[in-house]
Amino acid sequence: MADDLRALVATASRILAADGHGDLVWGHASARDPQGRGVWIKAAGWGLEEVTPERVHLVDESGDVLEGDGPRHSEYPIHTEILAARPDVGGVVHVHSPHAIALAATGQPLRPVSHAANFFVPPQVPVYTGTADLIMTPALGKEVAATLGDARAVFLVNHGIVTVGPDLETATVTAVLLERACQQQLLTHGFGGWPVWSDPAESHAKRDHIYSEAALRQVWDYLVRGLDR
């Protein structure tokens, strides 16, 4: 089981890098330990594209490395506190996605101007503004978890995004969709004026039609295949 989780975290990390979410050695994805011991997350000091199963370790809620090697990321409380607050969540992603950071910094909400955006809104994607600094303490991790609430994602203003899912595969696809949604909105706005967008009823209908559990799994499989292309 540990080997499977290490491989999953490594694959998710490389998918995020291939999709443009890399930021040198920062950013991380995690999977809940099924024995309740903490999170499987990459060791600090590696870029997302460099993550191998051997560079994934188990970190508990106190920040101690229980299995594996390497220094842990200072922002582990993002993962441990969200998992503590959300028993429905099995995977967490925190990355510095460029278009998502840019959109959140404008103060504009994400609008359902694209298929990708309809995965999230309505309701609005929450925005955490408690600090733009690193989330290095359990107290800050709890604040992020509280802002996230029961949503799929949260903007960390001037910092990055956090996405979640019942498993890491879904959390990873969610990060990919959020960045695409933000990029599409900024692209549309770049041509002048604010665009039209779907009303709530249409947004919910599109979400049901496009983003079934099976479809999300197909997207994950597509992204995995892309690593070999």
Side-chain angles (χ1 to χ4, degrees):
M1 178 62 73
D3 288 345
D4 291 342
L5 290 171
R6 283 189 168 105
L8 174 61
V9 172
T11 299
S13 299
R14 289 186 286 113
I15 284 172
L16 291 165
D19 200 63
H21 301 261
D23 182 16
L24 302 175
V25 298
W26 295 287
H28 22 84
S30 72
R32 184 191 291 272
D33 179 68
Q35 298 179 43
R37 297 175 296 171
V39 296
W40 292 91
I41 187 171
K42 79 176 179 71
W46 302 102
L48 291 170
E49 72 279 6
E50 298 179 302
V51 181
T52 62
E54 296 75 25
R55 292 169 179 168
V56 175
H57 55 202
L58 176 63
V59 177
D60 72 8
E61 62 183 7
S62 299
D64 294 325
V65 177
L66 302 184
E67 290 189 29
D69 301 316
R72 62 149 172 80
H73 274 282
S74 61
E75 290 192 299
Y76 77 90
I78 293 175
H79 303 262
T80 55
E81 296 302 331
I82 286 175
L83 291 176
R86 292 277 301 271
D88 61 309
V89 168
V92 180
V93 169
H94 169 54
V95 281
H96 304 157
S97 310
H99 296 93
I101 292 173
L103 181 62
T106 70
Q108 292 290 331
L110 181 66
R111 307 282 191 185
V113 303
S114 64
H115 284 345
N118 281 283
F119 184 63
F120 301 95
V121 294
Q124 282 302 316
V125 177
V127 181
Y128 175 71
T129 59
T131 181
D133 201 351
L134 301 185
I135 308 301
M136 298 189 293
T137 66
L140 288 175
K142 286 181 171 68
E143 289 183 7
V144 171
T147 302
L148 172 68
D150 61 0
R152 290 183 164 109
V154 59
F155 291 113
L156 308 184
V157 72
N158 305 125
H159 181 167
I161 62 171
V162 176
T163 62
V164 300
D167 47 48
L168 181 53
E169 295 95 323
T170 305
T172 303
V173 172
T174 299
V176 169
L177 290 172
L178 183 56
E179 172 66 357
R180 292 186 178 208
C182 294
Q183 182 179 16
Q184 288 162 342
Q185 182 167 325
L186 291 169
L187 177 64
T188 306
H189 183 51
F191 283 93
W194 279 107
V196 297
W197 51 79
S198 296
D199 61 30
E202 184 175 70
S203 289
H204 285 297
K206 291 177 72 175
R207 189 178 305 165
D208 291 341
H209 296 156
I210 300 168
Y211 296 112
S212 67
E213 183 177 339
L216 294 174
R217 178 60 57 160
Q218 289 166 358
V219 173
W220 166 264
D221 291 341
Y222 167 80
L223 294 169
V224 172
R225 292 195 302 271
L227 294 175
D228 296 325
R229 288 198 295 269

